[in-house]
Amino acid sequence: MARGHQRDRCDRDRPRLEKAAANLEAPDVRLFTDYEELLLQPDIGLVVVASDGTLHGQHVVMALEAGKHVLSEIPMEYAFDECRSITEAVERTGQQ
């Protein structure tokens, strides 16, 4: 069975991650505390980026460059240069 319906989670704060996962009705949800490890998973095709403003743009670009489609929370980024980096990553990778 494809894992496309799963809601795997990533958060650097392990207790917060486990609390969020406990609210899901998905017994085989995978939990990650390392964002790069999550991006290495070949069965993950879409990443929802909900990081704080200091990491948001970087996380979006990392996901795009890892070949993932990205749903980015608004605002896309706070700094114009980071917005440009995200736009360039979309153009370079062909991901959306």
Side-chain angles (χ1 to χ4, degrees):
M1 172 185 272
R3 290 187 50 85
H5 66 284
Q6 297 302 314
R7 306 212 181 247
D8 299 334
R9 294 285 190 260
C10 182
D11 194 318
R12 291 179 293 179
D13 183 328
R14 186 73 182 187
R16 181 173 54 200
L17 177 64
E18 291 174 352
K19 183 178 179 182
N23 292 325
L24 298 175
E25 294 183 11
D28 58 345
V29 65
R30 295 177 297 182
L31 305 179
F32 298 89
T33 56
D34 181 335
Y35 186 64
E36 290 180 26
E37 181 183 352
L38 175 128
L39 294 178
L40 290 173
Q41 305 306 307
D43 60 331
I44 294 176
L46 170 72
V47 176
V48 177
V49 177
S51 355
D52 65 40
T54 61
L55 295 171
H56 192 84
Q58 177 184 352
H59 284 169
V60 169
V61 171
M62 288 171 67
L64 290 166
E65 290 180 343
K68 312 302 182 188
H69 293 286
V70 175
L71 174 62
S72 175
E73 288 191 340
I74 303 297
M76 180 165 84
E77 181 52 64
Y78 295 102
F80 181 75
D81 289 341
E82 287 296 321
C83 290
R84 181 176 290 149
S85 294
I86 292 169
T87 302
E88 290 170 355
V90 168
E91 291 170 354
R92 185 175 58 255
T93 64
Q95 299 297 320
Q96 298 182 15

